[in-house]
Amino acid sequence: MSKNDDNAPISAEQFMKELRRYQKGSISRRHFLGVTGLGAATAVMASAMPMLAGAGRAQAATIGDRVSIATWPNYYDPANFEQFTKDTGAAVQVSVFGSNEEMLAKLQAGGTGWDVFVPTNYTISTYVELDLIQPLDLSRLPNFNEKYYIKRFIEPGTVNGKVYAVPKNWGTTGFVLNRKKVTSNPTTWKEFWDLCKTDAKNRVMVHDYQLTTIGNALKYFGYSFNSVDPKELADAEKLLLDVKPHLFAINSDYQPSMRSGDAWMSVAWTGDGLQLHRDIPEIDYVLGKEGGELWSDFYAIPKEAPRVDAAYAFINFLIDPEVNAKEVHAHGYPVPDNRTTALLPKEMTENPIMYPAQELLNALEFGAAVTLTDPLRAEIMARFKAA
Amino acid sequence: MAATQTTNGPRKRVTAMLLLPTTLWFLLLLVMPLVVITVYSLGERAPAGGYQPALTLAQYANLPARLKAFTNTLTLAPLGTLICLLIAYPLAYFLALKASRRTKAFLLTLVIVPFWTSFLIRTYAWIYILGGRGIPRLLEMIGIEDLRLINTPTAVLIGIVYGYLPLMVFPIYVSLEKLDKSLLEASNDLGANPIRTFFQVTLPLSAPGLITGSLLVFILLMGEYLIPALLGGGKVFFVGNALVDLFLQSRNWPFGSAVALTLVGIMLVAITLYLSLLGRQRRHQDVSIL
Amino acid sequence: MPTQPNNSQDVDIEFRGVTKRFADVVAVDDVSISVERGSFFSFLGPSGCGKTTSLRLIAGFEQPTAGDVMIGGRSVVGVPPFKRPVNMVFQHYALFPHFTVADNIGYGLRQQKPRPDKQEIARRVGETLELVRLDGYERRRIWELSGGQQQRVALARALINRPTVLLLDEPLAALDRKLRQEMQIELQTLQRDVGITFVLVTHDQEEALSMSDTICIMHEGHIVQIGEPRQLYDDPINHYVADFVGKSNFFWGTVEEVNGAVAAVTIDSGLKLSGRLPKGGRSLSPGDSAAIAVRPEVVLIGRPGAEALAATDVRAPARIKNRIFLGEQTEYLVAAERLGDVLVLSSKHNETVTGRLSTGDSVEIGWRTESTLALEKT
């Protein structure tokens, strides 16, 4: 059965594929677990490793027998983690999360035991404000060198002149569409939202995430993605309530529905766009001309990290260009480190989904801290969902 | 007297010691959190999310903002319970009273087997069954076009019935299994046909299982969020989903606490009403005939 | 042992060649009986003999595999229990735990069409309670009653519909001995008062003997013997019946000769004993295996050479192994020469003649041949 034949019932084989994808925690970069409330699902990797690790014995004495990281699903190369364990004797414990809010909630509650976590750009200042994150001693991260990094993606890691986080990956928020189903050629967020009520009625998904859903609804009117202006937000809410009856779903786990053909369009992140396009060529990833979100993720160390030495060692290992390139091969998100990008094949660096045209990128905005924490935006999202 | 006193003392102490873990468990995991969320519900959301102390009823005043979640929950939870009951009872009846030993073992295994797989994965499977290439596609083959199931209240109901049916089947099955079969013969012998026997003997005597099953399913459904999230596509919103959002997304702990406490309150009222209604019915039954 | 049905006017229940098979077990095998109207009829036998199945065939809980079951002259094959004019008292009473005493008893009336009005039901429930001497217990719950009271509620509940036949499935099995004896009398009285046919199933021979007009002894799905209690006691047709009804000493051996109604049997010790052939039993032939059955009460006991033993045909010296004082009677177990262990039941009167006998005493026992039976095994 061809995977393009979306009218045919799903085959057992295909279902198992989807299921395995789910079991690996790779359904979507964010949110699947958030939506299902299983954010705390923790995968303990190589817990028996210290016993087996021969080479790293000597170093194990210096950094300890383990390191714990909180990150997103499908956002790392397990082989790299195994390599780290082999080199240092420290086993890597992974906690996979669904949303920044959830990560923040966990850290606020305390007692996480994480040594490294992966915050998104707009959350870092909040972590600093709440005193949950520690400044980085860059001398302990010899692999980090500012001059090789794209400046735009370093900046959010610095708060009040202190560096709290080093860049991991970056990406965009656009939308995916199935060209076989949607024959018009939408290039803007205005067209995206209008299609919800017309050609793609009952076939559009939006994120269960206020930042992107409200942000892109604001773009319909040409407002800032980050607006917290009550009047502008009121317009966005009106639009959202207007399209809600015609939406297929409000769910950040859009890959399965896009793959099955149930959904024809969805707000989407770079990596998902890449994966969908790779498997089903007629699914395209589009950045709205009006702009939208540009984001970057960072490595950082929580204030309460129990194994700081291991944390530095682990971050330094992961931002080694060779290692980092392997990471990119595994998850498909671009890296703001030129040394790493230079190691990537052309198919990747020339891929417009991973590296969109500069004029499209120029229109994008970083999400702001206030965008995430604004109570009105949270409330509008809740009203939209509960409507 | 002296002898009983000396044996009573240690016995009481042993009883107290045996009850200690339960008591601690209750205090720690039930009473304490309840106190905490009560305090939270009277507070305010901190600027960056979370809780900051205050003494205000503002959170409760804001409850109407989640009205839809409450009405969804309060219609779909009882409806789901009722449908579960209507499907589970005949099944349990067949298992307990009609099936041969071998069939019974086989069917009970079938009821239990799904538990070997994570509930999440099973519900996930329903996304495909109810999705465009599942049941609607099969219905298209027999000429029923354009039926949308996934992300509708119907899909949520189907998921609920699927997920909670065993919880309803087992208590009913147990109470029917315990039922003295000679009571049914006695009723039959005294001139009651099978239908009258069912309503006069079988049903009242299986009521404990029926009540247990209904309460179990209803209480769990009131807090359900996984099925609406997965099969409702975020469009069929339960109080449980509102709570997940409030605590994990907008991190409005005080409002979340107020919503949670309100849900607990509604459940208490609903269950008390249900039980007292049943109680009245049963008392009524005792004296009904003469 | 088919019994020819009488005039159907006088017969309430009739089995015609009834067979009931469960999978590969034959519970009732080609049984034909007829139960006279207004009589007290008992099925007697050990568990698994087919007596309960027979009762359930009458009630309608089972349908025959072959043959015909008739109630009041009409075939009821295929008629469900709730349409049959019979009611049953269940072994463990099967009272409805969610009803009061009155609601239990009135249950049958409430199923009738048209349904009697409340006053009528209340009146008849009161009447029936009086009949079983439980007036005033209307509002009690079942679990508040003693076993005997529950028994009476079960009786009242079954009687209130005025059935043609009342079926009783081991109704007294759960009661203690004293209560059981009281209830036996009460049941008999009740049966005379209400005048309907009672069919009882029991494994207790004393119960059957004391209450029944007719007893049907069953064995492995077959009828062994049907008759009045006295007849079964005096003339059991074989060892099985004799063993089941009352106590007997059995001396096994081989039939030597049959002379009219008396058979001579050489028992295993070489001793030759004679016994009467029972009326209605099959005749024995020389060479058959048979037992001489001697009831304990026909065995006389006395000091060696006692005068009382002079008139006996069989005499043997013996030693008392055990003595059980039963009040009016005393039961001795004696070891007799060439006879083995023999059970003797002696009246109190006898003791005034023989004097007090104790364990270990040497005695003589004996009996008259006319009081003994020669029986085939089954």
Side-chain angles (χ1 to χ4, degrees):
Chain A
M1 188 183 304
S2 149
K3 61 180 107 185
N4 302 342
D5 180 11
D6 58 34
N7 278 327
I10 186 164
S11 70
E13 201 183 318
Q14 269 177 310
F15 176 72
M16 285 315 292
K17 232 169 89 187
E18 296 282 344
L19 187 63
R20 252 176 245 128
R21 215 163 58 79
Y22 153 76
Q23 283 172 324
K24 284 194 302 184
S26 67
I27 269 166
S28 141
R29 175 173 169 268
R30 292 176 215 190
H31 274 316
F32 175 73
L33 295 173
V35 150
T36 56
L38 293 184
T42 302
V44 179
M45 276 187 56
S47 54
M49 281 307 217
M51 306 301 167
L52 305 170
R57 270 280 158 82
Q59 262 172 306
T62 57
I63 71 162
D65 65 348
R66 90 188 92 143
V67 62
S68 167
I69 179 172
T71 183
W72 315 106
N74 193 30
Y75 208 31
Y76 54 88
D77 182 356
N80 277 338
F81 287 10
E82 279 163 34
Q83 186 61 45
F84 180 73
T85 306
K86 223 184 257 171
D87 291 352
T88 66
V92 183
Q93 294 181 330
V94 188
S95 302
V96 194
F97 271 78
S99 73
N100 273 296
E101 288 88 332
E102 209 181 319
M103 215 180 249
L104 175 55
K106 276 270 146 63
L107 274 175
Q108 255 181 307
T112 56
W114 303 336
D115 302 308
V116 178
F117 72 121
V118 181
T120 303
N121 53 304
Y122 43 78
T123 62
I124 295 169
S125 64
T126 306
Y127 283 119
V128 173
E129 212 174 290
L130 295 173
D131 198 23
L132 296 170
I133 192 170
Q134 50 178 284
L136 294 179
D137 175 0
L138 292 181
S139 69
R140 300 182 70 177
L141 297 172
N143 282 334
F144 179 72
N145 190 335
E146 266 193 54
K147 72 176 183 193
Y148 297 117
Y149 279 76
I150 300 167
K151 192 161 176 274
R152 185 177 194 184
F153 296 117
I154 299 182
E155 280 164 351
T158 306
V159 180
N160 305 327
K162 272 188 212 160
V163 177
Y164 286 91
V166 291
K168 178 178 175 345
N169 296 94
W170 63 276
T172 57
T173 308
F175 57 88
V176 283
L177 84 158
N178 187 324
R179 293 234 181 250
K180 273 200 179 159
K181 302 293 183 183
V182 183
T183 47
S184 67
N185 183 25
T187 55
T188 64
W189 285 110
K190 183 161 192 322
E191 285 168 290
F192 173 87
W193 291 111
D194 285 339
L195 278 168
C196 294
K197 297 204 292 179
T198 55
D199 291 359
K201 199 168 164 177
N202 293 332
R203 298 292 188 175
V204 180
M205 294 178 75
V206 300
H207 288 172
D208 181 7
Y209 191 39
Q210 67 89 352
L211 194 94
T212 49
T213 296
I214 297 178
N216 291 320
L218 285 161
K219 286 321 260 182
Y220 182 95
F221 304 97
Y223 303 142
S224 162
F225 181 88
N226 287 310
S227 175
V228 289
D229 179 90
K231 247 191 267 153
E232 294 179 0
L233 285 174
D235 285 339
E237 182 179 8
K238 207 167 148 250
L239 171 69
L240 288 172
L241 293 179
D242 189 36
V243 298
K244 173 160 185 199
H246 313 296
L247 289 177
F248 175 72
I250 303 164
N251 194 334
S252 309
D253 183 26
Y254 44 91
Q255 278 212 32
S257 302
M258 286 300 295
R259 284 172 188 270
S260 72
D262 279 340
W264 297 349
M265 288 207 302
S266 177
V267 179
W269 287 292
T270 306
D272 292 311
L274 194 78
Q275 288 167 23
L276 283 167
H277 182 69
R278 185 189 61 211
D279 296 343
I280 306 171
E282 69 260 29
I283 294 182
D284 240 338
Y285 179 76
V286 179
L287 285 176
K289 271 194 179 135
E290 305 98 322
E293 190 198 11
L294 178 70
W295 50 263
S296 59
D297 285 335
F298 290 78
Y299 290 117
I301 304 178
K303 192 96 183 185
E304 58 169 25
R307 292 166 291 262
V308 176
D309 291 344
Y312 277 109
F314 192 43
I315 295 175
N316 193 50
F317 168 79
L318 288 169
I319 59 174
D320 173 275
E322 296 272 345
V323 175
N324 213 347
K326 282 187 208 152
E327 290 276 298
V328 178
H329 276 285
H331 57 56
Y333 285 94
V335 176
D337 173 11
N338 295 330
R339 295 169 301 176
T340 304
T341 311
L343 296 173
L344 296 176
K346 248 176 146 181
E347 304 93 80
M348 281 190 142
T349 52
E350 286 176 7
N351 185 316
I353 296 178
M354 270 180 86
Y355 296 95
Q358 197 56 47
E359 79 265 20
L360 284 171
L361 277 181
N362 287 341
L364 302 177
E365 307 166 61
F366 271 123
V370 65
T371 315
L372 184 74
T373 53
D374 182 52
L376 181 56
R377 285 182 70 126
E379 192 51 29
I380 287 173
M381 187 65 191
R383 287 204 289 257
F384 164 58
K385 284 168 72 181
Chain B
M1 278 309 279
T4 53
Q5 265 168 2
T6 48
T7 52
N8 257 354
R11 192 171 299 169
K12 267 185 190 160
R13 240 169 288 143
V14 168
T15 309
M17 268 166 63
L18 287 173
L19 283 175
L20 193 68
T22 321
T23 315
L24 281 178
W25 177 275
F26 258 96
L27 284 175
L28 220 69
L29 296 173
L30 194 79
V31 178
M32 285 255 295
L34 212 59
V35 170
V36 169
I37 66 165
T38 309
V39 170
Y40 274 19
S41 75
L42 299 170
E44 277 171 354
R45 181 185 194 268
Y51 161 79
Q52 72 182 22
L55 195 63
T56 168
L57 288 172
Q59 308 303 341
Y60 290 95
N62 195 24
L63 280 175
R66 295 295 182 277
L67 187 64
K68 191 67 193 274
F70 278 104
T71 52
N72 269 341
T73 308
L74 285 170
T75 45
L76 289 176
L79 192 61
T81 309
L82 185 70
I83 295 174
C84 275
L85 182 63
L86 292 179
I87 296 175
Y89 201 97
L91 176 59
Y93 185 88
F94 177 79
L95 279 173
L97 298 171
K98 298 285 170 197
S100 73
R101 192 168 296 200
R102 196 178 297 174
T103 321
K104 187 189 286 190
F106 176 69
L107 288 176
L108 280 174
T109 313
L110 280 191
V111 176
I112 295 166
V113 158
F115 283 110
W116 296 351
T117 309
S118 142
F119 183 55
L120 182 62
I121 292 176
R122 284 183 286 134
T123 308
Y124 202 77
W126 276 98
I127 295 180
Y128 292 89
I129 298 172
L130 298 172
R133 288 192 283 170
I135 291 171
R137 174 70 188 136
L138 293 176
L139 289 176
E140 247 167 62
M141 289 174 179
I142 57 162
I144 299 166
E145 302 274 341
D146 264 353
L147 182 83
R148 258 196 67 211
L149 281 176
I150 190 71
N151 302 347
T152 61
T154 313
V156 174
L157 262 186
I158 291 173
I160 282 171
V161 170
Y162 167 78
Y164 287 90
L165 196 61
L167 289 184
M168 188 68 99
V169 169
F170 280 109
I172 298 177
Y173 167 75
V174 169
S175 68
L176 284 173
E177 175 86 308
K178 277 193 308 194
L179 181 73
D180 181 359
K181 310 298 175 287
S182 68
L183 292 179
L184 307 183
E185 288 187 341
S187 169
N188 224 235
D189 182 68
L190 290 165
N193 62 30
I195 293 166
R196 299 195 60 151
T197 298
F198 175 78
F199 284 106
Q200 293 177 99
V201 181
T202 316
L203 190 61
L205 288 178
S206 61
L210 201 141
I211 293 166
T212 310
S214 305
L215 282 180
L216 206 61
V217 170
F218 178 73
I219 291 169
L220 290 175
L221 275 184
M222 288 292 281
E224 180 62 45
Y225 70 99
L226 185 69
I227 296 171
L230 290 185
L231 301 180
K235 290 178 76 186
V236 184
F237 207 62
F238 272 37
V239 177
N241 305 82
L243 286 175
V244 170
D245 270 13
L246 281 169
F247 280 98
L248 295 181
Q249 296 239 357
S250 52
R251 280 169 305 113
N252 191 342
W253 295 0
F255 188 36
S257 301
V259 170
L261 267 187
T262 309
L263 183 66
V264 170
I266 289 175
M267 256 157 50
L268 278 180
V269 170
I271 291 162
T272 312
L273 260 169
Y274 175 73
L275 288 180
S276 72
L277 261 173
L278 275 174
R280 193 175 308 162
Q281 179 118 25
R282 301 197 105 193
R283 276 199 300 282
H284 182 65
Q285 200 175 38
D286 285 352
V287 293
S288 67
I289 296 106
L290 294 173
Chain C
M1 282 249 63
T3 308
Q4 276 310 305
N6 304 351
N7 181 351
S8 71
Q9 284 295 83
D10 304 330
V11 173
D12 256 343
I13 290 172
E14 196 182 336
F15 277 26
R16 289 187 183 167
V18 171
T19 296
K20 177 65 189 177
R21 233 177 246 115
F22 294 106
D24 46 356
V25 179
V26 183
V28 172
D29 194 358
D30 192 24
V31 164
S32 296
I33 49 163
S34 59
V35 177
E36 232 175 276
R37 175 161 304 169
S39 70
F40 199 128
F41 184 93
S42 297
F43 287 105
L44 176 64
S47 60
C49 73
K51 60 187 193 299
T52 301
T53 305
S54 300
L55 196 75
R56 293 171 63 82
L57 282 162
I58 302 172
F61 300 136
E62 310 293 351
Q63 295 291 342
T65 313
D68 202 355
V69 175
M70 306 177 69
I71 299 175
R74 216 178 286 163
S75 171
V76 290
V77 174
V79 177
F82 60 92
K83 286 187 178 158
R84 296 193 181 195
V86 298
N87 285 120
M88 182 142 151
V89 175
F90 288 80
Q91 185 167 8
H92 301 289
Y93 317 138
L95 296 174
F96 303 120
H98 57 306
F99 288 150
T100 58
V101 167
D103 287 351
N104 262 284
I105 295 174
Y107 192 86
L109 291 180
R110 298 203 303 279
Q111 314 310 321
Q112 290 178 357
K113 281 177 206 164
R115 180 173 159 165
D117 62 36
K118 280 191 177 185
Q119 284 78 22
E120 170 69 4
I121 293 177
R123 192 182 60 73
R124 282 181 57 187
V125 166
E127 250 177 45
T128 316
L129 271 173
E130 233 170 278
L131 188 70
V132 296
R133 299 189 296 142
L134 274 179
D135 19 338
Y137 279 68
E138 279 90 342
R139 306 292 286 269
R140 297 284 185 97
R141 307 303 305 234
I142 297 308
W143 63 82
E144 296 170 339
L145 304 182
S146 68
Q149 288 168 334
Q150 290 189 12
Q151 160 80 69
R152 288 181 216 187
V153 173
L155 260 172
R157 185 180 69 174
L159 282 171
I160 201 165
N161 273 9
R162 293 175 188 149
T164 309
V165 181
L166 183 75
L167 308 175
L168 302 120
D169 185 6
E170 305 264 8
L172 309 179
L175 303 179
D176 62 54
R177 189 182 160 81
K178 195 160 185 301
L179 200 55
R180 198 157 64 223
Q181 284 169 344
E182 273 175 43
M183 283 307 291
Q184 282 173 10
I185 298 166
E186 231 170 284
L187 271 179
Q188 255 185 313
T189 318
L190 193 68
Q191 199 252 342
R192 271 198 299 275
D193 289 352
V194 295
I196 57 179
T197 310
F198 277 31
V199 177
L200 172 81
V201 157
T202 183
H203 67 275
D204 180 344
Q205 47 111 358
E206 187 195 320
E207 206 170 291
L209 290 177
S210 64
M211 296 192 288
S212 318
D213 297 320
T214 311
I215 296 174
C216 169
I217 293 185
M218 295 190 73
H219 177 62
E220 289 175 354
H222 298 277
I223 295 171
V224 182
Q225 189 172 7
I226 295 183
E228 291 169 23
R230 176 97 219 172
Q231 188 186 343
L232 294 178
Y233 192 84
D234 291 345
D235 282 292
I237 59 157
N238 57 24
H239 161 256
Y240 178 79
V241 177
D243 194 26
F244 212 86
V245 179
K247 283 181 181 171
S248 280
N249 294 294
F250 295 105
F251 305 101
W252 288 99
T254 312
V255 176
E256 207 64 37
E257 56 173 334
V258 179
N259 192 352
V262 175
V265 174
T266 308
I267 66 168
D268 297 346
S269 65
L271 195 66
K272 198 166 153 189
L273 297 175
S274 291
R276 187 169 60 79
L277 289 172
K279 289 176 201 134
R282 276 197 299 143
S283 187
L284 292 168
S285 318
D288 287 354
S289 169
I292 296 296
V294 186
R295 298 275 183 206
E297 67 268 24
V298 308
V299 184
L300 298 177
I301 188 165
R303 305 265 179 211
E307 205 177 312
L309 287 156
T312 55
D313 305 322
V314 177
R315 264 193 301 276
R319 177 184 296 275
I320 297 177
K321 283 171 79 176
N322 196 25
R323 174 177 178 277
I324 299 168
F325 178 67
L326 298 172
E328 273 305 296
Q329 292 174 312
T330 305
E331 194 182 88
Y332 301 97
L333 181 66
V334 302
E337 206 172 276
R338 299 182 78 189
L339 286 170
D341 286 353
V342 178
L343 204 60
V344 182
L345 202 58
S346 172
S347 69
K348 200 170 184 179
H349 169 73
N350 193 38
E351 204 155 288
T352 59
V353 180
T354 60
R356 194 189 156 99
L357 298 171
S358 312
T359 305
D361 286 359
S362 285
V363 291
E364 193 170 26
I365 59 164
W367 61 75
R368 294 167 67 89
T369 298
E370 61 180 45
S371 317
T372 66
L373 292 167
L375 301 172
E376 60 175 337
K377 191 161 174 95
T378 42

